[in-house]
């Protein structure tokens, strides 16, 4: 199994974001359960970060499909690590709303272009904490 973390910039129309994110989440919840994919999604109004965990090939195929989705852009795989146990029990939306604090952890991973401006481990810890709290 692997755990993949990606970040992206939202392309959702302002004003309609919340309803669209709910649509994304209900698709993802049903699909990911079928695929045996667990993980979590964070949405900050301007950016997304998502962790997907599951069998390597399943996660790769799902990631390829998500990357083609026009509802976001600059889709950037931050890291992908081999795991032998899951950190998430199911698939959850762990945060949805405006938050400069959360966004500050995502932005440098997207815009930093690998310059070391972002800390993937810190973002993973934050996403885990948000999922635990939700
Ligand atoms: C930020 C974001 C996260 C998404 N996460 C998932 C996901 O975890 N699982 C999933 O099946 N689809 C997810 N989707 C939706 C997929 O991109 C795609 O629309 C959906 O799987 C339906 O694919 P299809 O139209 O090829 O059948 C996500 C979309 C976005 C924009």
């Amino acid at each position: 199994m692997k755990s993949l973390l990606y970040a992206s910039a939202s392309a959702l129309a302002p004003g309609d974001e919340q309803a669209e994110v709910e649509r994304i989440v209900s698709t993802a919840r049903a699909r990911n359960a079928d695929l045996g994919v667990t993980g979590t999604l964070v949405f900050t109004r301007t950016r997304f970060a998502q962790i997907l965990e599951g069998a390597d090939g399943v996660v790769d195929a799902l990631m390829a499909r998500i990357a083609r989705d026009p509802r976001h852009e600059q889709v950037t795989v931050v890291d992908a690590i081999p795991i032998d146990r899951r950190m998430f029990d199911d698939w959850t939306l762990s945060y949805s709303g405006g938050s400069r604090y959360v966004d500050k952890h995502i932005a440098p991973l997207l815009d930093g272009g690998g310059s070391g401006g972002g800390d993937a481990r810190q973002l993973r810890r934050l996403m885990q904490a948000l999922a635990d709290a939700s």
Side-chain angles (χ1 to χ4, degrees):
M1 286 195 299
K2 71 162 81 173
S3 171
L4 183 150
L5 169 65
Y6 77 83
S8 63
S10 172
L12 300 179
D16 194 34
E17 302 112 320
Q18 219 52 50
E20 197 59 52
V21 166
E22 276 163 32
R23 273 193 282 277
I24 291 171
V25 168
S26 63
T27 309
R29 198 158 273 149
R31 256 239 172 83
N32 294 2
D34 285 347
L35 294 170
V37 169
T38 50
T40 192
L41 176 73
V42 164
F43 173 62
T44 65
R45 281 192 215 288
T46 52
R47 295 184 182 83
F48 292 102
Q50 189 172 17
I51 293 174
L52 299 168
E53 41 182 37
D56 290 13
V58 172
V59 169
D60 290 342
L62 177 59
M63 185 66 240
R65 198 166 67 209
I66 292 172
R68 286 194 298 268
D69 195 312
R71 290 173 289 186
H72 59 174
E73 46 203 28
Q74 280 181 265
V75 179
T76 307
V77 174
V78 174
D79 67 8
I81 52 183
I83 52 166
D84 40 41
R85 70 178 182 86
R86 296 173 188 269
M87 298 294 288
F88 299 90
D89 300 327
D90 54 14
W91 194 85
T92 58
L93 176 71
S94 57
Y95 186 81
S96 173
S99 166
R100 274 196 205 166
Y101 178 75
V102 178
D103 206 53
K104 240 171 60 182
H105 285 77
I106 303 174
L109 293 166
L110 252 191
D111 307 328
S115 61
D119 185 335
R121 280 176 59 191
Q122 229 182 330
L123 176 57
R124 279 178 174 276
R125 271 199 297 273
L126 176 61
M127 290 173 77
Q128 180 83 58
L130 290 167
D132 288 346
S134 68

